[in-house]
Every structure is written in structure tokens, then in C-alpha cells.
Amino acid sequence: RVRQVLAVLAAVVVVPLIAPGTAPAHPDRPDPRPVVFVHGFAGSGAQFQTQAKRLASNGYPAEIVETHEYDSTAISTILPQVWADLDARVSRLLERTGADRVDILGHSLGTFVMQGYLNSAPQRAARVAHYVNLDGASATAQPGGVPTLAVWGEGDPARTIAGATNVRFPDQSHTQVVTSPETFVEFYRFFTGHDPRTTRIVPTPPGHTMLSGRAVFFPTNAGVTGARLEVYQVTGLTGHRRHQRPDQVFALAGDGSFGPFRADGRARYEFAVVYPDGQAHHIYFQPFERTDRLIRLLTSRPGEGLSGLMDTSPRHTNLTVNRNKEWWGDQGEGSDLLLVDGRNILNAANAPRTKRAIGMFVFDRAADGVTDLTAPIPEFFSQPFITAMDVFLPTRLRVVTVLAVPRGTTGHVDNLTVPAWPSTGHRVSVGFNDYIR
């Protein structure tokens, strides 16, 4: 199967890009309500990137789709402030758009946040037209009496919200429920009363793609401050920078926001978070295709967080691989493939379906030049939604090639090739789409 994947990749890289289509000129409804997504534990606005693009592909203005981010690790002590901040967000969106109410989605821990919010005061519930409960808490009634759609993935089929429209996708995993096209159809129909025209990400016309987002410390979502963001356009075959000077430079402060800036939706970019001591975190994505306001650069200060547990040396590269759809390594032909420099690193030990892993840490444990995939690295595997593999990625090869073959597809390969930055002073992250382009 690996040989088949490599053959497909060889064919893909020589096929010319298909000219992008155009987004609908007008929304499906004349006055779409603002949409707010509330993430779950260790989540961020990144989990709603794809659905925001699908909304925009069906005519929603990108600027009325927002995410409400918070420090999920401290929710028990900050919940009142999270609600107050959501009050302010709703007020701002309603004033800016002139809409009567907003539509809100919550996922996992975010359903706990939202059910409490809607039940806390009639005035809050009155400003919400529709609520979508994504694979989270059950309830004995619709929260705050707000019309509710509950979408459930794999797990206990008895979960329900009484009085709500309950939809089940038992073959979809916990984060996949947020990002899947099937879920999009359900909540779009719930919001608008009719089906979307498309579930595709319709490319923005050339010259009109705008990119913006936040650089945040994982998992608290605190904005990166005191650092610099450099954005480079890179080549697809090697990931190396096309120009020595960055295309964009932003001083990161406050909530870590950057942009917007004009970009080529068909191009690939490196986002380099450069810290005052010169250490850098290099983050790469697949082409954005259309305007994206929810780019999230998940990072940490050098030596802190999980990245501080990764062994370093000038001989090897430290890599993190992210996708907002779980990696499955124990489902036989129904598994994903994740090939790093030609080796599939997913297996039943480090990526069982029950782990729900969306973040993969890949590094040379003990810096011994040896790859060992027999068992996951415990310090990482013990964390929710995260796993880690002992893989030696030598810097002498100059590049690291990462191929993802999503489960359930035939002949589809996602490819991100990036420079083999030495792990002394550099970290590398790659982010794969959770949808099929």
C-alpha cells in the first residue's frame, strides 16, 4: 500500500493545478445570522476552520463567523468570565450586523459551557436563534428553551437532548463530528431551513484570498506576545522559502492576532514564530484555497510545554503533525496512513481509535539515531488527543516528507514536504486538512 501511495504522489506532483472556481455571489439567505463556535478541551478556533470555509462557500460573509476561545484547562474557575466575554461578543456581532440573534455551536467541553450559558439567564437565551450541541453533554431539555440540534458521533447511543433534533453518526470520531461535511449539512439546514448548495471548499477567486488568525500558546489559547511572526511563500516540492526575505512580518502582542494579508490561495506558506532568543517554530499548512480568518498557530515558549519534553540535537528534526480529524492506526484497511520519509508511523500501539489522537509528536527520543514504533512515548500518550512516536528524522536529508492517506479514500494523498530544521533552535509543525480537496 505504501508503494501505491508513493506512485500516486509521483503522478500528483506533475498534474497542473485545476483553475479554481468561484464562490456564490450572494448568500443563500439575504441576512445570514452571525455564527459563533465554542471549542472543547484543549481546542481552539482551528476546529471550525473548515466549517467556516464551507459557510463562506455558501455565501456567508467570512467576517460574521467567529470562534469563542478560552483556557479550557481552567474552566472551573473562569467560567463566569467566559460567559461575560461571550456576552460582549454577541453584542458586538449583533450591533455590527444588525441581526436579530446569533447561531451558536458548542463542542465537547464547549457544550458544558454553552448549556450553562443558555440556562443561566433568559436574556442570554433570547439572543440565540439556534444552538448546536456537538458530541458533548446530554440534557433533559433544550438549553434555555433555544431550538437545539444535537449531533452525536461514536460512543453511547443513549446520549440525547430531550426535545432537540438528535442526529447520530456512529462511524465518526469525536473531533471528526465537528469538521465533517455530514455535520455541516445538518447544522446548515438547521440554521437556514434548506440544504447547502455545496459542501466543498470553493476556492476564492485569484487575488482575493485574505489570511488572518492568532498565534496562541497551547492549550491555554493565551496570545503569543514578545515574538515576531514571519510569513514566507514556499515551494511545494521541498518547502524551502522562495525568497530570503519574508513576505509578511507581524509583531505579536496582546491576543496574538496577525493579518489580514493578501495571499495566493493555491500557494503554500511557512509561518515562523521567532522568539527573542532566536529560536523559531516553523508551521506549514496545505494551500488555504479561500479566505481564512481562523488560522491558529499552536505553539509554546522554547523549552516549555510538551515541546520541552522533546529531545534535541543538531542531527535530527522535531516534528508535530496535526489534523482536526482523528488518526486511526488500528482499524486495518479502515486505518489512516501517515508516512514520514516513507515510513508509516501509525499503528495499534500509538494511534488506536480509542485514543482520539489529533496531535502527533514525532522526534528522536534520547537522540540516539534510532526509530522505535513498538510503543508510544508515555509522557505524551497520557495527554488527551495527543500521541508521540520515537522517529529519527536526520537533518542531513535536508527535507522531511510527510504524506497522509485519509481512511476511506482511494488514491488520495495529502503531501507536506518541509525543510529538515535542526531541533536545536527549531521546531516544525505541519497541519493537514480535515477534508478531501
Side-chain angles (χ1 to χ4, degrees):
R1 192 177 178 195
V2 170
R3 287 194 297 270
Q4 292 172 341
V5 168
L6 295 176
V8 170
L9 178 67
V12 167
V13 296
V14 298
V15 175
L17 287 172
I18 298 173
T22 58
H26 303 286
D28 285 335
R29 49 175 297 178
D31 56 345
R33 292 188 177 96
V35 175
V36 180
F37 171 73
V38 182
H39 63 79
F41 184 79
S44 72
Q47 274 83 55
F48 206 64
Q49 266 184 295
T50 295
Q51 304 296 32
K53 290 182 180 182
R54 288 191 176 114
L55 285 169
S57 295
N58 284 276
Y60 270 68
E63 62 271 13
I64 71 169
V65 179
E66 296 190 358
T67 61
H68 193 62
E69 291 164 302
Y70 57 97
D71 180 1
S72 59
T73 67
I75 191 61
S76 61
T77 58
I78 66 171
L79 186 58
Q81 186 58 52
V82 174
W83 288 352
D85 292 342
L86 183 55
D87 287 336
R89 183 180 299 278
V90 171
S91 295
R92 174 173 50 77
L93 282 168
L94 294 180
E95 181 178 357
R96 192 176 75 205
T97 64
D100 59 338
R101 288 167 293 173
V102 300
D103 293 329
I104 298 185
L105 309 92
H107 173 233
S108 194
L109 179 65
T111 67
F112 164 78
V113 173
M114 281 308 307
Q115 289 187 26
Y117 177 82
L118 294 172
N119 287 325
S120 66
Q123 297 89 340
R124 283 172 166 160
R127 300 203 299 173
V128 179
H130 304 94
Y131 167 58
V132 180
N133 196 91
L134 297 170
D135 211 43
S138 296
T140 57
Q142 297 185 105
V146 175
T148 298
L149 166 68
V151 183
W152 309 99
E154 61 185 8
D156 184 358
R159 295 176 298 167
T160 189
I161 292 183
T165 300
N166 288 272
V167 176
R168 302 185 190 279
F169 297 119
D171 293 332
Q172 293 190 9
S173 43
H174 186 57
T175 302
Q176 182 183 5
V177 166
V178 181
T179 59
S180 75
E182 293 83 6
T183 293
F184 176 75
V185 170
E186 294 294 336
F187 78 69
Y188 188 93
R189 183 190 297 134
F190 184 59
F191 289 168
T192 68
H194 55 83
D195 289 339
R197 287 203 286 256
T198 183
T199 58
R200 290 181 55 243
I201 309 299
V202 180
T204 306
H208 293 272
T209 301
M210 303 298 294
L211 303 180
S212 61
R214 297 177 64 213
V216 297
F217 293 123
F218 174 83
T220 66
N221 287 315
V224 175
T225 60
R228 182 176 73 255
L229 174 63
E230 299 177 352
V231 182
Y232 299 85
Q233 190 174 137
V234 300
T235 66
L237 290 178
T238 67
H240 286 104
R241 298 166 177 174
R242 291 188 178 277
H243 307 102
Q244 289 187 339
R245 294 185 177 181
D247 300 283
Q248 304 286 335
V249 178
F250 301 96
L252 296 173
D255 70 348
S257 292
F258 63 88
F261 65 92
R262 193 174 303 279
D264 183 345
R266 298 164 296 181
R268 295 171 184 255
Y269 289 91
E270 171 198 343
F271 294 77
V273 180
V274 183
Y275 290 91
D277 63 358
Q279 296 195 54
H281 190 173
H282 310 268
I283 305 172
Y284 303 84
F285 300 96
Q286 294 179 262
F288 289 94
E289 298 195 81
R290 68 172 302 120
T291 290
D292 195 328
R293 296 165 52 88
L294 299 180
I295 299 171
R296 292 298 181 266
L297 309 178
L298 307 181
T299 186
S300 61
R301 294 182 182 89
E304 296 184 3
L306 289 175
S307 66
L309 302 177
M310 302 172 82
D311 297 285
T312 63
S313 83
R315 296 195 308 131
H316 79 265
T317 296
N318 283 348
L319 177 69
T320 306
V321 186
N322 297 303
R323 186 183 70 177
N324 285 309
K325 176 182 176 182
E326 288 83 349
W327 303 100
W328 292 353
D330 64 342
Q331 299 296 297
E333 288 300 313
S335 297
D336 297 281
L337 286 179
L338 184 60
L339 282 72
V340 180
D341 284 348
R343 181 199 300 263
N344 180 32
I345 64 172
L346 297 182
N347 58 39
N350 56 40
R353 180 172 178 170
T354 55
K355 183 66 183 81
R356 296 177 169 181
I358 60 176
M360 323 286 289
F361 286 76
V362 183
F363 64 98
D364 183 19
R365 192 180 192 191
D368 56 6
V370 176
T371 293
D372 182 2
L373 298 177
T374 58
I377 300 174
E379 301 92 327
F380 295 80
F381 194 76
S382 63
Q383 302 298 317
F385 314 120
I386 288 171
T387 188
M389 298 81 158
D390 178 4
V391 181
F392 176 52
L393 303 175
T395 53
R396 60 180 173 76
L397 297 181
R398 297 194 65 232
V399 298
V400 176
T401 298
V402 188
L403 308 180
V405 183
R407 57 183 179 270
T409 62
T410 301
H412 179 89
V413 182
D414 290 322
N415 168 47
L416 279 165
T417 300
V418 299
W421 295 97
S423 55
T424 47
H426 300 270
R427 288 172 284 163
V428 179
S429 291
V430 297
F432 282 104
N433 294 333
D434 50 62
Y435 63 95
I436 305 302
R437 295 182 67 211

